[in-house]
Amino acid sequence: LFLLESYMYDSLFSSGGDNEYDAISAQIQNSSVDDVARKLAEHYQSFPTDQDWEWLKNEADITAIRIPIGYWHVENGAFVTDSMKFSDIKEVYEKAKPWDYFKTIVEKARSYEIGVLIDLHGLPGGANGDAHSGEGNGQGATFFRNEEYVKTVAKKILPFIVDGVCKENENVIGLQIVNEAGFNNSPTGEKRYYAMAVNNIRKLDPTLPIAISDGWWPEQWADWLKEVGLSNDVVIDSHVYRCFSEEDRGKSATQIIEELPNTINFPKDKADYVVGEFSCVLDEATWNKTDRNRDESVVDFGSTQTKLFQERASWGWFFWSLKFEHGDGGEWGFVPMVNKGAIPKRHQNKPTVGDDAIRDIINEHIGYWKDKGGENFEHWR
């Protein structure tokens, strides 16, 4: 919706580019700032429909969505400095007003009683060197090594999001301050950013859950959180994909599924984990090694993953992704995977007693504790 990827919404990449910065820059060269801003605004406004919301609530019965955004979207580009990649196309976002649409989406989710995990997916300089960070710098992740970038995000952008969106909307369930940080054996810069960000967020909201990346090493960050006393503040985001590595491409679907109990292995006794992204996709090389029916294998793969997430990711899981410009996304698409049964629908836990009976139970509870120090309790909870 906000952070563009060519395989999901290709029309905005019609002038070239494999990341948002390059694609929008190329569009501007071929037309004008006003024209590209209009296209972006139309995309923001039309991408999620009322039918999508109805399906999410009433068919899939989800509890929350994760919304990836870039630093250049926040307050319509107001925090983009001259040294940042998006500075020369900042005017497009000033005119397209993504932040206005973003706040509308959060409110829309609230009207459906759906939570929102705000994911600052794109950081200046990138937390990784991939196209989905929004930038193509050719230098890999540079964010954590740039003091100006770190301070701008930790001391200005994140507090602005907390004050302007998180505190005002009870359905904001958390703020993710980084997406897919690259693996680093000595992550000094990452630790400095996380500590600074958490400190500044906590000054404004002492209870908001904060998510960081596992950097492809879940235990490293569980140990660090315990060491610095942040285990109760921070959730570790671990992404589960079995379609990118050469090791996974060398296996059959049956092998991958059988190994999931060992490969999805979070040290859950040390920290809270969320699976911020997963899919039902396996590489074609894997399917070429698989004798079993593909649809059956996909259902088995998806249901095995979610069963393990239920046991090991205490903070939940988010499928990538809901919607594509063309087609349903297949095994990348939430809708077809739910409809096929690869992603089980939640059990509907509807109340079996009426409001009067519930009130009686509450009053009985309050009465029991009345002479036992009950005035110190918060029975409304």
Side-chain angles (χ1 to χ4, degrees):
L1 171 57
F2 293 106
L3 211 148
L4 306 177
E5 293 197 48
S6 59
Y7 84 103
M8 299 180 70
Y9 205 85
D10 57 89
S11 67
L12 290 169
F13 290 77
S14 59
S15 297
D18 70 345
N19 58 71
E20 180 162 345
Y21 172 80
D22 287 344
I24 298 304
S25 298
Q27 289 262 349
I28 292 169
Q29 288 179 355
N30 284 349
S31 55
S32 68
V33 166
D34 287 344
D35 186 48
V36 178
R38 179 185 54 77
K39 286 181 181 177
L40 278 173
E42 288 174 355
H43 167 63
Y44 300 146
Q45 191 170 23
S46 64
F47 196 56
T49 66
D50 285 343
Q51 288 84 356
D52 294 328
W53 289 107
E54 290 290 334
W55 184 87
L56 286 169
K57 180 65 178 178
N58 299 319
E59 292 296 323
D61 193 28
I62 66 161
T63 57
I65 55 176
R66 176 177 179 257
I67 306 181
I69 58 173
Y71 70 92
W72 57 94
H73 296 120
V74 181
E75 190 61 347
N76 304 319
F79 295 97
V80 177
T81 65
D82 290 343
S83 68
M84 294 177 182
K85 187 89 171 183
F86 276 79
S87 60
D88 59 338
I89 60 171
K90 176 175 161 180
E91 188 182 359
V92 173
Y93 296 93
E94 291 172 347
K95 293 185 174 183
K97 300 193 181 305
W99 196 243
D100 298 34
Y101 291 107
F102 173 75
K103 290 192 290 186
T104 300
I105 292 293
V106 174
E107 291 167 5
K108 189 79 168 180
R110 187 177 63 199
S111 73
Y112 280 91
E113 298 183 324
I114 290 173
V116 173
L117 171 59
I118 301 174
D119 164 31
L120 193 58
H121 205 81
L123 296 172
N128 56 65
D130 297 321
H132 59 68
S133 69
E135 301 187 358
N137 54 36
Q139 304 168 36
T142 63
F143 170 74
F144 299 110
R145 304 195 300 269
N146 189 308
E147 188 173 357
E148 180 208 338
Y149 291 173
V150 168
K151 285 184 176 178
T152 299
V153 175
K155 296 185 175 183
K156 295 180 180 178
I157 294 178
L158 293 173
F160 177 83
I161 294 172
V162 173
D163 250 348
V165 182
C166 301
K167 288 169 70 175
E168 292 181 4
N169 294 279
E170 64 181 1
N171 65 317
V172 173
I173 63 169
L175 176 57
Q176 183 163 350
I177 63 174
V178 62
N179 172 69
E180 284 192 3
F183 175 84
N184 190 344
N185 199 39
S186 302
T188 305
E190 288 87 333
K191 290 176 180 178
R192 181 168 177 271
Y193 167 60
Y194 297 158
M196 189 187 302
V198 171
N199 182 52
N200 282 287
I201 292 169
R202 281 289 164 264
K203 289 175 184 176
L204 299 170
D205 190 332
T207 62
L208 180 72
I210 300 164
I212 63 171
S213 169
D214 71 349
W216 309 104
W217 186 358
E219 190 144 14
Q220 178 189 41
W221 293 103
D223 290 341
W224 179 73
L225 291 177
K226 187 175 181 182
E227 177 189 324
V228 297
L230 291 177
S231 298
N232 292 333
D233 297 82
V234 176
V235 179
I236 301 173
D237 176 19
S238 190
H239 294 178
V240 176
Y241 289 123
R242 296 293 178 264
C243 56
F244 294 127
S245 73
E246 287 304 319
E247 184 182 359
D248 285 330
R249 292 187 184 110
K251 298 173 183 175
S252 69
T254 303
Q255 283 178 284
I256 289 174
I257 294 165
E258 288 176 348
E259 292 173 3
L260 285 173
N262 295 323
T263 60
I264 300 174
N265 187 22
F266 310 140
K268 62 177 184 176
D269 56 324
K270 295 182 178 180
D272 288 314
Y273 285 84
V274 59
V275 177
E277 295 179 19
F278 77 103
S279 77
C280 292
V281 176
L282 297 172
D283 192 85
E284 285 306 313
T286 289
W287 291 120
N288 291 337
K289 298 176 179 66
T290 304
D291 296 330
R292 187 181 173 196
N293 175 273
R294 180 161 177 158
D295 282 344
E296 289 178 5
S297 295
V298 167
V299 169
D300 192 9
F301 181 44
S303 57
T304 301
Q305 286 186 101
T306 53
K307 181 175 181 291
L308 290 166
F309 298 159
Q310 175 75 29
E311 299 167 359
R312 302 176 185 188
S314 58
W315 215 70
W317 56 93
F318 295 84
F319 189 91
W320 186 279
S321 184
L322 172 66
K323 196 170 179 180
F324 295 74
E325 184 177 15
H326 306 295
D328 61 15
E331 288 144 12
W332 285 111
F334 187 56
V335 176
M337 291 301 96
V338 169
N339 290 340
K340 281 190 177 201
I343 306 299
K345 293 181 182 179
R346 289 191 314 115
H347 294 294
Q348 297 262 6
N349 293 316
K350 302 297 184 185
T352 55
V353 294
D355 289 347
D356 289 342
I358 291 171
R359 272 192 293 272
D360 289 343
I361 292 168
I362 293 170
N363 289 333
E364 183 181 343
H365 173 83
I366 293 170
Y368 174 82
W369 288 104
K370 192 171 184 181
D371 59 351
K372 301 176 180 66
E375 70 276 1
N376 297 318
F377 296 132
E378 296 174 314
H379 294 295
W380 61 270
R381 294 189 185 278

